[in-house]
């Protein structure tokens, strides 16, 4: 008779840590942001007029999130400051929300993203993630760097509703600089919101079938941080660099709807 090898406690703990590092348990609301944490989420307007978060995945929504009115909140398919393994999906069916991201906030998505707007009102819409470089100050010195990459592809579709600008890529915002004293210069943190890993992915697709949008871009949006020069000295503190790279192809298709801007 063959004897089974015992499962060690260490192996169980390592497996649990691997799971915990790649997928968070539930959708979360943190401040004015909703994080799907890798779960497929939808935004709907209920009969009372409130904007609600839903998911087709069992256990993805707890009662605190299910009962919250998330009107005006930014929506992320990814996580806040943590990486997510696998694909993300965000669908806006109704209600009124802020900006919408397929990726995370200073957290990578190791997979592809899908963002679909069927109705409601949104701010700007990004297939990628949102990278924020930290602002410098005299206490913390240089600002921290921020990364919100999507290693795969992004797919963004507007079928209805009203959106701000629509981007196939991500949103990178460099941190602001501070100069303090005679010789002290503290630089803002850099921000990187790339679509595409080093060997795979890196395509963006934006399709507008209906509704109304602002400008439509196949790529991303990068905004460098503000520099600071102290008058009467040679001290110049640099604002953080920002990059919203798309490694491969961008594809934009306009089948209908109204674009209140340029493509």
């Amino acid at each position: 008779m063959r004897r089974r090898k015992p499962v060690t406690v260490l192996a169980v703990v390592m497996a649990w840590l691997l799971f915990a590092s790649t997928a968070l348990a539930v959708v979360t609301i943190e401040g004015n942001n909703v994080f799907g944490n890798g779960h497929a989420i939808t935004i709907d307007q209920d009969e009372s007029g409130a904007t609600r978060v839903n998911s087709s995945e069992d256990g993805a929504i707890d009662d605190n999130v299910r009962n919250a009115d998330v009107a005006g909140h930014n929506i992320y398919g990814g996580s806040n400051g943590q990486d997510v393994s696998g694909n993300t999906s965000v669908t806006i069916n109704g209600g009124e929300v802020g900006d919408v991201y397929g990726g995370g906030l200073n957290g990578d998505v190791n997979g592809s993203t899908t963002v679909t707007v069927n109705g409601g009102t949104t701010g700007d819409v990004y297939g990628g993630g949102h990278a924020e470089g930290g602002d410098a100050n005299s206490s913390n010195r240089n600002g921290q760097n921020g990364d919100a990459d999507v290693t795969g592809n992004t797919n963004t579709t507007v079928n209805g509703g009203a959106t701000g600008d629509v981007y196939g890529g991500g949103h990178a915002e460099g941190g602001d600089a501070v100069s303090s004293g005679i010789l002290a210069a503290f630089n803002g943190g850099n921000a990187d919101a790339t679509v595409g890993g080093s060997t795979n992915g890196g395509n963006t697709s934006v399709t507008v079938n209906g509704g109304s949008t602002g400008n439509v871009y196949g790529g991303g949006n990068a905004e460098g941080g503000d520099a600071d020069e102290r008058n009467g000295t040679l001290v110049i503190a640099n604002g953080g660099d920002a990059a919203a790279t798309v490694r491969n192809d961008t594809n934009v298709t306009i089948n209908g709807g109204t674009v209140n801007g340029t493509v």
Side-chain angles (χ1 to χ4, degrees):
M1 178 182 294
R2 298 179 62 186
R3 300 179 64 184
R4 294 182 179 179
K5 295 182 179 180
V7 178
T8 66
V9 174
L10 178 61
V12 173
V13 171
M14 290 180 65
W16 182 87
L17 289 174
L18 177 62
F19 172 80
S21 65
T22 57
L24 299 177
V26 295
V27 177
T28 57
I29 299 175
E30 301 174 39
N32 200 45
N33 301 313
V34 175
F35 296 97
N37 294 320
H39 299 288
I41 59 174
T42 62
I43 305 296
D44 303 280
Q45 188 174 51
D46 67 13
E47 295 178 355
S48 71
T51 303
R52 306 292 190 189
V53 187
N54 295 288
S55 177
S56 59
E57 299 179 20
D58 292 340
I61 305 285
D62 64 21
D63 288 341
N64 290 333
V65 173
R66 182 178 293 106
N67 296 327
D69 186 347
V70 297
H73 285 49
N74 302 313
I75 311 297
Y76 294 86
S79 177
N80 181 15
Q82 298 186 51
D83 296 346
V84 169
S85 293
N87 301 329
T88 69
S89 175
V90 176
T91 303
I92 311 296
N93 293 322
E96 182 177 355
V97 297
D99 294 339
V100 179
Y101 298 87
L105 173 61
N106 286 343
D108 296 343
V109 170
N110 295 311
S112 296
T113 69
T114 299
V115 176
T116 305
V117 181
N118 294 319
T121 302
T122 77
D124 294 338
V125 177
Y126 296 86
H130 185 193
E132 285 188 325
D135 293 337
N137 61 64
S138 57
S139 296
N140 296 329
R141 299 183 179 272
N142 296 331
Q144 293 184 338
N145 297 332
D147 291 285
D149 300 335
V150 174
T151 63
N153 304 310
T154 70
N155 301 278
T156 307
T157 304
V158 179
N159 294 316
T163 74
D165 295 340
V166 179
Y167 298 85
H171 185 196
E173 297 180 280
D176 294 337
V178 171
S179 59
S180 176
I182 299 176
L183 297 175
F186 305 122
N187 300 320
N190 299 326
D192 184 9
T194 296
V195 176
S198 58
T199 59
N200 67 315
N203 301 310
T204 69
S205 175
V206 177
T207 304
V208 179
N209 294 317
S212 64
T213 72
N215 301 303
V216 178
Y217 302 90
N221 179 20
E223 305 169 74
D226 293 335
D228 187 17
E229 178 178 359
R230 181 167 289 277
N231 293 331
T233 73
L234 298 178
V235 176
I236 298 176
N238 297 313
D241 293 332
T245 305
V246 175
R247 291 193 180 276
N248 289 315
D249 297 332
T250 65
N251 304 276
V252 176
T253 303
I254 309 296
N255 291 321
T258 301
V259 177
N260 298 302
T262 60
V263 179

